[in-house]
Amino acid sequence: MQIRNAWHGPLAGDGCIQWEADGRTLRCLSVNEQARSLGFPRERWLDDERFLSCTLFAPDRELFLAGCRAAARGARIQERCRARSADGRTRWTELVLEHECIGRTRCLRGRMMKPPQGGSVAQGVFPFIVAHFDRELRHLYVNRRIEEVTGLPVSSFIGRTNEELGMPPRLVRHWHEELRRVFQREEGRWFEFEFPLRDECGSKEPALFLAHLEPVFGSRGHVLSVRCETYRHRASRRPRPFARASPPPAVHQRLTGCALLARLHGSLGSATSGEDVLRALRQCVGSGLGDWCDVDLLENGVLRRTATFRVPDLEHPGESPTPMARRVALTGVPERLSGPSEQVAATLAPDETRLPELRHAGLLDCMAVPVRLGGRILGVLTFATREPTVRFDPDTQALAESVAGFVAWALEADRLRHEEHASRTRAMEAQRFLADSSAALASSLEPEQTFQVLVRLCVPGLASMAVLLGSPEEGPPGVLSMAHAEPELEPLIARAFQHFHASPAHPLHDVLRTGLPRIILATDEPGFWTGHEDPEWCHVRQRLALRSVMLVPISSRQRVTHVLVLGSSEWVYTQDDRTFAREFATHAATALDNARLYHEAREAVALRDEFLGIAGHELRTPLTALKLGLQNLSRQAESLGERERMAKWLTNCQRQGERLGRLVNDLLDVGRLSSGSLALVCQEMDLQALVEEVVGRLRPELARAGCRVVLALESPLTGYWDRSRLDQVLTNLLSNAAKYGKGRPIEIRASALPGDRVCVSVRDEGIGITPEDQARIFGRFERAVSERHYGGLGLGLWISQRFVLQLGGHISVRSEPGKGATFTVELPRRVMAAERGDCRGQSSSWPGQQKAEAAEALALMEGESIFRTILTALWEGIVVQDSEGGIVTANASAELILGLPMDQLTGRTSMDPRWRAMHEDGSDFPGEQHPAMVALRTGRPVRNVIMGIHRPDGSRVWLLVNAQPLQRHGEAAPYMVVSSFFDLTGQKKLA
């Protein structure tokens, strides 16, 4: 440890005794030469560990130790105390204690000087009482003057609060409120309080004190303690019988100014608007700063009259700033003028018409001070007085400058509050706009409709005119869509853009090359508007009268694919508009990409269906020829007497041909079902007869599989159905039973159900189906077993389910591994919408129907890989819930945003407490208020609800949720709800 033997501070030569001591042990580490005046040798200072506390400051040891403890916490202590010299005499000294760090050692720096005479210091009035408080509002330090006021010794204050000392409860509440306010706001405060004092006669009389609280900050910027300086103000109620001499005029003026600043500081601290600031400033009129005050503030570089205060009020206080105020606003230097009245009136008169009125006012003095914040002038305060007892001197001018500093701080705080509120409002409006635009852009995947929605969103919120230009790989950009605030101008714009040609120097080429937005002002770049001399284009420019244009690139796949042209005739675009336009372009690019992918997917699906149709018809032609050839060969073999020898081979070839024909028909049905072109041909029929017919036709196949068929059919079971499609359903179920239950019996039951419905079930005793596979076997190209051991395309159950759904019914399965499976088909006897080919919406309710329809909807979206790509590319999360609120399915984005895989999402409801949902203000978000539950309960869509949830990993995510209920024709209650949401967490942090 390095110890300095001499004082090297800035006050080393001012005649004071200065020393440094260890902050923990109070052992003296260094002392200057002036310490010899006390008579102690230098070695005594440095060698004796208890020299300071037990020898030097022994007369006031407790006061000295309390001051050291307070200084060690970061406070600056200045106190009068008694010190002992080597000859045993006691002398009064002014002790200053400060905290300092030398290397890793915490030190106390002390300075002892002769106390000032007369109770005042050079800077102003010396405080009557000095105290320090910690964060628990306990006394860290008090000076000895506290004993004169309270009659309690100094030692009783250390470590105790005012309440523990038995102070009056009202005074304790007042002090504690002010101290807590300083700790919370981290800024100084002035306030007044009354406390009874004993006079010369021994009686107690309330006296008024003025206290100043100042926070003491630590090295990390936190408030460690509060220093309180208390000044004796005046008697509270009436003068004492034997009053002492009044304080000097300078001291009285300073105390009056301090009281004025204390009241002004308190009023400005609670001000929440510019009107509150002016209302607080009105206190200065008639309180030491004259009876005349003008407030002139700078607005866009122009000094304007904001407020005037007169005592008494004038009829016409004037609307123009005074010449003195204009000079001060220009130079930033305060001005003060003392009489005569004629000269003051001439200085304050803005013109000749106001001069007589000001002469009549009889003003004696005037001054103007700038309202300055740092190096920036916000305005000017002009004061004037007509009272002979209130004249303006340098001290009054200093007080006016302090008032102007307070006003500057309050005005700046008000400006920052307005800017913060405006910024927060703009951020929320931007979030709402982006959310609404995302929902609008996601409402359709048709490219042309997406183009139109995109430009309509920009008008009139972002622009007066919006034009979307395509950017092909080669050739000039073409107009895809446009919109204007005045729809009658849109045909004119369309005709004009047909003649628009961007020259090589046009800014549009820079946007296409760099991918950065570009703002173009009509006055800055006239070449943008006069790139050619086409009269149609010139006429459009004159009609539009645009002040500013912004070119916003929309990028996809590493290149600019579109350019959005925004034009405004009302405002000029700024950099903030440019930043927001880039964010909007990102959302627009996602929507355009989705529309492009959807368009490409539709084209690919159409091409696939066309290929399947052509391939099916092409395969049918050789199959027909093959069947005819086999039949001809069979007849010839019979005529030649070789029927028995060739029967086995002919039968096998015919069976394989029929199997190939069924596979071709399945492929054709897939194409028809996907494109929605499959029409039902319903007729009156008997279900019992159809079952027997199918069993008879498949009897050879069942015999080869070794399956005995048991029929339990009610008769008659008539209804209005499509015979061929129902035949195909029964054929698929019976073929699967023979395939997976080979060698075991098959039971077929058909019966009538209540509610004019019928039921057909096919039960086998085969290998069975696991519960995990039962949920997916009705999907396209899905199997519960390996295709290596069992043939087929995996389309039979999917086609059967689609046919049954179109007939208004449903199909289900019950099975256990190793115990066979039972497939049940329930149908209404009559399909009401058969003539329209849309039967699904007219089905009656059955248990689990919502989940089956949700699975069907998901199969339509995710049946093909291209649709999976589209669904994954969507940045919005999508969740499908049944009528009870349980989640049926969700897309990959929902799993990513919610932080849960599909198996944990399935079955969970919006009312599950594990979500721990909350409102924006932090309050709980009840499950019954979730948009999905509200949509299910009311049957109406719910839009733009902001809520927060907690993920399983503990992180919190903010969501903007939309819910759309799904209803059947003729039914009021929704059978399903689709919720979409996207992550707002990033935007919340920026606002």
Side-chain angles (χ1 to χ4, degrees), residues 951-979:
R951 292 172 173 165
D953 60 359
S955 62
R956 183 177 63 187
V957 60
W958 291 98
L959 306 176
L960 184 72
V961 186
N962 298 286
Q964 176 66 47
L966 304 180
Q967 298 165 306
R968 298 188 185 91
H969 181 71
E971 295 182 5
Y975 69 93
M976 193 182 301
V977 62
V978 179
S979 301

Side-chain angles (χ1 to χ4, degrees), residues 3-48:
I3 300 177
R4 296 183 296 177
N5 293 322
W7 186 281
H8 297 286
L11 302 176
D14 60 355
C16 301
I17 300 175
Q18 301 175 356
W19 47 264
E20 290 179 353
D22 188 296
R24 184 173 58 87
T25 64
L26 298 183
R27 178 178 180 177
C28 190
L29 303 177
S30 65
V31 65
N32 66 350
E33 294 296 331
Q34 282 74 16
R36 299 182 184 275
S37 61
L38 294 178
F40 294 103
R42 186 184 185 88
E43 291 75 14
R44 180 77 180 276
W45 285 77
L46 300 178
D47 296 340
D48 189 353

Side-chain angles (χ1 to χ4, degrees), residues 403-422:
V403 170
F406 280 18
V407 172
W409 166 77
L411 292 176
E412 181 67 10
D414 181 64
R415 183 186 67 83
L416 293 177
R417 279 194 298 268
H418 280 289
E419 287 186 357
E420 181 182 3
H421 177 72

Side-chain angles (χ1 to χ4, degrees), residues 28 106 119 247 260 296 535 552 655:
C28 190
R106 297 180 178 271
L260 172 63
D296 304 314
V552 183
R655 185 169 65 251

Side-chain angles (χ1 to χ4, degrees), residues 309-489:
F309 307 115
R310 303 285 190 267
V311 180
D313 294 336
L314 297 178
E315 295 183 2
H316 304 288
E319 299 180 356
S320 301
T322 64
M324 176 184 284
R326 296 185 185 277
R327 290 194 303 271
V328 172
L330 184 62
T331 63
V333 179
E335 293 187 11
R336 178 168 49 87
L337 178 64
S338 298
S341 179
E342 179 69 24
Q343 187 177 358
V344 172
T347 303
L348 297 180
D351 50 48
E352 294 294 336
T353 59
R354 298 277 297 156
L355 188 57
E357 184 179 1
L358 293 175
R359 289 172 178 170
H360 180 71
L363 300 176
L364 300 178
D365 295 345
C366 66
M367 62 179 173
V369 294
V371 180
R372 190 195 311 271
L373 187 66
R376 184 163 51 98
I377 295 179
L378 307 181
V380 178
L381 297 183
T382 304
F383 298 95
T385 177
R386 72 182 82 188
E387 295 293 334
T389 59
V390 181
R391 304 303 297 268
F392 293 163
D393 54 13
D395 290 339
T396 310
Q397 180 178 328
L399 177 61
E401 292 179 5
S402 300
V403 170
F406 280 18
V407 172
W409 166 77
L411 292 176
E412 181 67 10
D414 181 64
R415 183 186 67 83
L416 293 177
R417 279 194 298 268
H418 280 289
E419 287 186 357
E420 181 182 3
H421 177 72
S423 177
R424 189 176 303 168
T425 302
R426 286 195 302 268
M428 292 302 298
E429 289 177 353
Q431 292 178 9
R432 297 284 185 184
F433 178 82
L434 292 177
D436 294 341
S437 63
S438 298
L441 290 172
S443 62
S444 174
L445 291 176
E446 294 290 342
E448 292 77 10
Q449 186 173 354
T450 303
F451 297 156
Q452 191 64 29
V453 170
L454 179 60
V455 296
R456 290 294 178 189
L457 285 171
C458 301
V459 177
L462 300 180
S464 304
M465 176 198 73
V467 179
L468 182 63
L469 303 178
S471 175
E473 293 289 349
E474 298 180 359
V479 178
L480 300 178
S481 183
M482 67 184 64
H484 196 275
E486 300 178 13
E488 60 272 10
L489 295 180

Side-chain angles (χ1 to χ4, degrees), residues 648-705:
K648 177 181 179 181
W649 298 103
L650 291 173
T651 303
N652 187 37
C653 291
Q654 288 177 349
R655 185 169 65 251
Q656 296 301 325
E658 292 174 357
R659 180 172 177 271
L660 184 58
R662 286 198 299 270
L663 294 178
V664 172
N665 289 333
D666 286 347
L667 290 175
L668 293 175
D669 289 337
V670 169
R672 297 191 190 101
L673 289 170
S674 298
S675 62
S677 60
L678 183 67
L680 297 179
V681 181
C682 298
Q683 58 182 348
E684 194 77 26
M685 57 170 289
D686 187 357
L687 182 60
Q688 176 198 5
L690 179 61
V691 173
E692 293 174 347
E693 178 184 337
V694 172
V695 172
R697 186 174 66 249
L698 297 181
R699 195 170 298 278
E701 181 179 346
L702 296 171
R704 285 192 301 272

